[in-house]
Amino acid sequence: MVQEKIRVSTQTLRWKCVESRTDSKRLYYGRFILSPLIKGQADTIGIAMRRALLGEIEGTCITRAKSEKIPHEYSTIVGIQESVHEILMNLKEIVLRSNLYGTFDASICVRGPRCVTAQDIILPPSVEIIDNTQHIASLTEPIDLYIGLQLERNRGYHIKRPNNFQDRSYPIDAVFMPVRNVNYSIHSYGNGNEKEEILFLEIWTNGSLTPKEALYEASQNLIDLFIPFLHADEENLHLKDNQHKVTLPLFTFHDRLTKLKKNKKTITLKYIFIDQLEFPPRIYNCLKKSNIHTLLDLLNNSQEDLMKIEHFRVEDVKEILGTLEKYFAIDLPKN
């Protein structure tokens, strides 16, 4: 445990980690302060940071399991102590750390009798298990157990949808949020109208990242969300006489795009992300795997480049071209 005395500066805004501890491999705790703030600012920051920490940070989870020997989710298998449902619940508890985007495959292939733990999962590169001792199943007889797993990086939580399980594939409720809980409190000091505030922020994570890393990532996500407003062009603001209405076009169009390129002001395009374009999940995942994250990345590719992406089809390219034409009135070169 690390603790420091709190020293408040009335000159500049500063933050500090005043407590940090590791309760277990899957539970980290951090306590931070931000000061000095004028009255009301602590609430503004506290609410925004709490929402960003819980909802905007991505995590990696097991979202599906598949095995030919499992007839249905609530069945039991001879030679395995746990039911299939209990095995799926154990897989749900496994904490992963990864920088990969989209979906990718993993597997378990063991022979009993033995205890199966998270250490027995065969993972793709760049994926790490936080706690290898996490229990999955107990094999009591010399049988083979093979389970195919689907891993996914996302944010928030996804509740499995019922299906007929005809492909022996079983969805798993996924809690992608690496931040388990966030509390904030406010301490006021000073006299009368000169009161200032200190914001105290407590963060618990699942071990896939530290509270300090979570705080940094949440802050960066908030900054990314607001940056487009900093680059809004005044020419797009049309104020009517004696009215307070502001008319904003949905997106930039071809003439403005040409002007941006001439002036080398491509920063606006850097902050329009492809998930804002509402592509189908398959197209979105393929683009992400090819390191295409923003509209600027997409415009740097031709139609021929997109066709070289693995699992991409002509229909996918046509859908992208249709979206660009609809919202931006622009096109991609063929070559």
Side-chain angles (χ1 to χ4, degrees), residues 222-261:
L222 280 177
I223 293 171
D224 291 343
L225 287 173
F226 287 107
I227 276 182
F229 295 110
L230 300 177
H231 301 283
D233 293 340
E234 293 183 1
E235 63 184 3
N236 293 326
L237 303 178
H238 305 290
L239 297 176
K240 295 184 178 181
D241 293 338
N242 301 323
Q243 292 185 1
H244 299 284
K245 294 182 179 180
V246 179
T247 303
L248 289 172
L250 180 60
F251 280 111
T252 55
F253 291 95
H254 187 267
D255 292 340
R256 185 177 170 203
L257 181 65
T258 303
K259 184 178 179 181
L260 283 172
K261 286 187 175 180

Side-chain angles (χ1 to χ4, degrees), residues 128-333:
E128 175 189 355
I129 296 176
I130 299 303
D131 184 5
N132 284 326
T133 64
Q134 170 66 40
H135 179 76
I136 297 176
S138 298
L139 306 186
T140 58
E141 297 182 12
I143 62 171
D144 293 321
L145 175 66
Y146 175 80
I147 302 176
L149 303 174
Q150 177 181 285
L151 313 181
E152 184 178 344
R153 180 179 173 87
N154 213 317
R155 62 183 182 181
Y157 60 90
H158 291 182
I159 298 176
K160 64 182 180 181
R161 297 178 180 178
N163 58 25
N164 53 16
F165 306 115
Q166 288 182 354
D167 60 348
R168 306 295 190 197
S169 178
Y170 303 90
I172 299 174
D173 291 340
V175 182
F176 295 103
M177 300 179 293
V179 176
R180 291 307 190 209
N181 193 21
V182 179
N183 287 335
Y184 79 90
S185 57
I186 301 168
H187 172 70
S188 299
Y189 61 96
N191 297 315
N193 295 328
E194 301 299 323
K195 279 192 174 182
E196 293 183 333
E197 297 177 337
I198 304 175
L199 174 66
F200 291 83
L201 197 63
E202 294 181 290
I203 303 172
W204 289 263
T205 68
N206 65 0
S208 62
L209 76 174
T210 66
K212 187 178 290 187
E213 290 172 333
L215 188 62
Y216 174 82
E217 189 169 336
S219 302
Q220 189 62 55
N221 288 339
L222 280 177
I223 293 171
D224 291 343
L225 287 173
F226 287 107
I227 276 182
F229 295 110
L230 300 177
H231 301 283
D233 293 340
E234 293 183 1
E235 63 184 3
N236 293 326
L237 303 178
H238 305 290
L239 297 176
K240 295 184 178 181
D241 293 338
N242 301 323
Q243 292 185 1
H244 299 284
K245 294 182 179 180
V246 179
T247 303
L248 289 172
L250 180 60
F251 280 111
T252 55
F253 291 95
H254 187 267
D255 292 340
R256 185 177 170 203
L257 181 65
T258 303
K259 184 178 179 181
L260 283 172
K261 286 187 175 180
K262 286 182 179 179
N263 294 331
K264 298 181 180 180
K265 293 181 179 179
T266 56
I267 188 167
T268 303
L269 304 179
K270 287 176 61 179
Y271 296 107
I272 299 177
F273 295 90
I274 61 172
D275 54 358
Q276 296 173 259
L277 305 181
E278 298 182 353
F279 290 135
R282 205 177 65 80
I283 294 179
Y284 171 78
N285 290 332
C286 288
L287 292 175
K288 279 285 190 180
K289 288 180 181 178
S290 300
N291 292 320
I292 299 175
H293 305 291
T294 67
L295 178 59
L296 183 61
D297 296 335
L298 186 57
L299 294 178
N300 285 331
N301 287 270
S302 65
Q303 298 179 35
E304 189 176 88
D305 294 332
L306 295 181
M307 286 302 301
K308 294 178 182 179
I309 297 177
E310 188 177 5
H311 305 308
F312 232 59
R313 305 173 302 183
V314 175
E315 291 79 6
D316 300 329
V317 176
K318 288 181 179 179
E319 182 154 357
I320 291 175
L321 295 177
T323 300
L324 293 177
E325 175 64 29
K326 177 181 178 182
Y327 291 117
F328 302 93
I330 57 178
D331 200 356
L332 294 177

Side-chain angles (χ1 to χ4, degrees), residues 18-58:
V18 293
E19 184 177 353
S20 176
R21 68 171 185 261
T22 302
D23 293 333
S24 68
K25 289 183 178 180
R26 290 182 287 165
L27 185 60
Y28 287 13
Y29 172 81
R31 188 164 179 255
F32 307 87
I33 62 168
L34 180 67
S35 66
L37 299 163
I38 64 175
K39 188 175 181 180
Q41 286 184 336
D43 251 328
T44 301
I45 298 173
I47 293 171
M49 285 303 303
R50 187 176 190 276
R51 291 182 66 88
L53 283 163
L54 292 173
E56 297 296 328
I57 301 180
E58 294 182 338

Side-chain angles (χ1 to χ4, degrees), residues 52-70:
L53 283 163
L54 292 173
E56 297 296 328
I57 301 180
E58 294 182 338
T60 304
C61 289
I62 299 173
T63 57
R64 188 171 291 272
K66 182 176 181 179
S67 177
E68 298 296 333
K69 295 184 178 181
I70 300 177

Side-chain angles (χ1 to χ4, degrees), residues 82-151:
E82 293 80 4
S83 67
V84 174
H85 179 73
E86 289 173 323
I87 294 175
L88 294 178
M89 291 301 98
N90 290 338
L91 291 172
K92 176 183 175 181
E93 296 299 319
I94 293 175
V95 178
L96 302 171
R97 181 185 179 106
S98 169
N99 292 323
L100 299 177
Y101 286 90
T103 59
F104 28 97
D105 297 325
S107 62
I108 299 174
C109 186
V110 296
R111 181 172 178 80
R114 58 171 297 178
C115 180
V116 183
T117 64
Q119 189 173 3
D120 297 306
I121 300 177
I122 302 171
L123 294 168
S126 302
V127 181
E128 175 189 355
I129 296 176
I130 299 303
D131 184 5
N132 284 326
T133 64
Q134 170 66 40
H135 179 76
I136 297 176
S138 298
L139 306 186
T140 58
E141 297 182 12
I143 62 171
D144 293 321
L145 175 66
Y146 175 80
I147 302 176
L149 303 174
Q150 177 181 285
L151 313 181

